[in-house]
Amino acid sequence: MARVFNFNAGPAALPLAALERAQKELLDLGGTGMSVMEHSHRGKAYEAVHNEAISLTRELLAVPENYDILLLQGGASQQFAVIPMNLLPQGKSADYILTGSWSQKAYKEAKTIGTARVAGTTEKDKKFARIPKQSELELDANAAYAHITSNNTIFGSQWHEFPNVGSVPLVADMSSDIMWRPIDVSKFGLIYAGAQKNLGPSGVVLVIVRKDLVAAGRQDIPVIFQYRTHSENNSLYNTPPTFGVYVLRNVLDEFKKLGGLAAVEKINREKAKLLYDAIDERSDVFSAPVERESRSTMNVVWTVKTPELEAEFISEVQKKGMVGLKGHRSVGGLRASIYNAVPVEAVKALADAVRGFKK
Ligand code: PMP
């Protein structure tokens, strides 16, 4: 069996060792005679997996003790609604910085719950091809929170330096770049990420939230949507997505074995450089629309001179075992998602194909 070079945007490539471990343990988890999927979520075997997933998250991201780590369901899209439901009381307003389609969706959902305003956008100027500068932001010092999307999966831009929002809690959708490098969690009020890019399979959402925000959260919303419910029950209020949490645990364990997120970052930077350098070198055929300082290390977006050449390029790399390179249906062009689990070898093969195209 041959594994392809997988550049899918999400669900995306997973570390081979994490999958092999799942394969090995599929019928018998640690000598219990059954798979993790067949265990009670209240039993010792699953509980150990669950708690390890949480403690590995705390360790890898150095999450301070005054933050809860929650493993939830419903995707990042559900968090678009759950965040304002919890954190946006009547009489307050939330700031949204718009840098692409996902932040627009988050903003739209917040407006169905309460008052939200745009504190910055790069839509008109350059069609989201850059991250706004601090000086361009119009922040509300009394906002309930300020929301950003740390990496824009579709447009291929990324916040390399997070905005300064003063004492307002910073909320970040890190779905497509969580754990790509170490970060200072204490700068954030809440971080959330769907697992299916950097962390595991779809069906699990990681939420890291400051305990005082959980405690102050609204109580006039359904119990199942209150962060306090999941915080008080160690994310075991109802049945968690047990297999998803199990695979996430395997993935995080691989990051730890690599040497933690500093080691992960080094590899990610190397991969991004390899590919952007190749695209820049071949400016006769290819071009990367995102401004250099805003380029994403996770989703490399670029265009080809003509639709014919684009089709030819895609068919050529497909023959070399590379898949998932078509840009998002809303923007077209090409996109290589080079998340944590995509090996350097895959990116080298793609960079070589870019360099050698039509030469
Ligand atoms: N935010 C970002 C940055 C994303 O890339 C995505 C999915 N591609 C989402 C949110 C939505 O995630 P989900 O499909 O898990 O709701």
Side-chain angles (χ1 to χ4, degrees):
M1 180 202 57
R3 299 257 309 159
V4 294
F5 288 141
N6 180 357
F7 296 100
N8 280 342
L14 290 171
L16 185 58
L19 293 175
E20 282 170 343
R21 181 173 178 188
Q23 182 184 43
K24 203 168 137 237
E25 295 179 343
L26 191 67
L27 302 183
D28 182 6
L29 179 72
T32 59
M34 57 176 126
S35 84
V36 65
M37 288 176 277
E38 300 164 295
H39 272 281
S40 164
H41 61 294
R42 309 271 172 219
K44 277 207 170 72
Y46 175 71
E47 207 181 22
V49 169
H50 188 89
N51 288 340
E52 197 186 344
I54 293 169
S55 64
L56 280 167
T57 301
R58 198 171 289 283
E59 185 181 338
L60 287 164
L61 277 171
V63 179
E65 278 307 313
N66 63 323
Y67 285 75
D68 279 323
I69 296 173
L70 309 177
L71 298 169
L72 306 177
Q73 304 187 53
S77 301
Q78 185 162 292
Q79 291 304 309
F80 293 167
V82 171
I83 290 163
M85 283 167 85
N86 278 272
L87 306 185
L88 182 53
Q90 273 190 351
K92 286 284 242 181
S93 165
D95 274 354
Y96 278 75
I97 302 175
L98 306 186
T99 52
S101 320
W102 295 111
S103 38
Q104 281 179 316
K105 283 195 173 146
Y107 170 58
K108 192 173 160 200
E109 201 71 315
K111 284 194 295 179
T112 69
I113 309 288
T115 308
R117 62 186 279 279
V118 176
T121 174
T122 49
E123 182 177 18
K124 287 210 182 80
D125 166 28
K126 289 215 135 193
K127 276 201 195 144
F128 289 131
R130 65 183 185 88
I131 296 296
K133 295 187 189 72
Q134 179 77 34
S135 59
E136 294 171 289
L137 303 178
E138 289 172 18
L139 296 161
D140 169 5
N142 293 313
Y145 61 85
H147 180 283
I148 62 164
T149 310
S150 60
N151 182 72
N152 299 287
T153 326
I154 295 175
F155 291 93
S157 65
Q158 189 173 29
W159 289 84
H160 291 284
E161 253 179 73
F162 296 114
N164 180 355
V165 295
S167 58
V168 170
L170 181 60
V171 171
D173 174 0
M174 295 197 182
S175 292
S176 51
D177 69 350
I178 182 92
M179 293 203 202
W180 86 273
R181 62 164 175 178
I183 51 162
D184 181 359
V185 172
S186 72
K187 289 214 168 98
F188 297 86
L190 186 150
I191 291 168
Y192 65 107
Q196 67 268 24
K197 292 137 193 328
N198 259 352
L199 303 182
S202 59
V204 188
V205 187
L206 172 66
V207 174
I208 302 171
V209 54
R210 234 171 54 205
K211 286 181 177 167
D212 62 296
L213 295 175
V214 173
R218 287 171 60 164
Q219 308 207 24
D220 57 346
I221 58 170
V223 170
I224 188 69
F225 294 135
Q226 295 181 28
Y227 287 128
R228 77 171 53 72
T229 304
H230 303 288
S231 160
E232 285 166 2
N233 293 283
N234 189 30
S235 303
L236 289 163
Y237 170 73
N238 64 326
T239 319
T242 52
F243 188 67
V245 171
Y246 162 81
V247 177
L248 179 135
R249 188 282 308 266
N250 290 2
V251 171
L252 299 188
D253 199 39
E254 290 310 314
F255 297 163
K256 184 176 170 174
K257 282 187 197 146
L258 263 178
L261 299 190
V264 170
E265 173 178 12
K266 196 161 165 265
I267 301 166
N268 280 329
R269 288 199 187 275
E270 181 191 342
K271 290 187 297 188
K273 182 170 173 6
L274 271 171
L275 189 50
Y276 282 116
D277 281 355
I279 294 165
D280 291 343
E281 249 176 60
R282 289 303 309 276
S283 56
D284 54 322
V285 202
F286 300 114
S287 97
V290 173
E291 279 187 7
R292 219 163 259 270
E293 316 79 73
S294 300
R295 283 176 169 181
S296 169
T297 54
M298 297 281 102
N299 307 99
V300 178
V301 167
W302 77 108
T303 57
V304 193
K305 235 177 189 169
T306 67
E308 294 73 31
L309 283 171
E310 181 181 311
E312 206 177 316
F313 180 77
I314 291 215
S315 127
E316 192 177 291
V317 292
Q318 244 163 16
K319 284 186 205 128
K320 293 177 177 160
M322 295 176 232
V323 302
L325 288 162
K326 261 192 131 10
H328 189 268
R329 58 188 190 281
S330 62
V331 295
L334 298 174
R335 170 176 58 176
S337 298
I338 52 174
Y339 300 126
N340 287 359
V342 174
V344 177
E345 185 199 359
V347 181
K348 267 196 185 132
L350 180 57
D352 285 348
V354 166
R355 268 206 191 86
F357 186 57
K358 289 273 175 198
K359 272 242 163 119

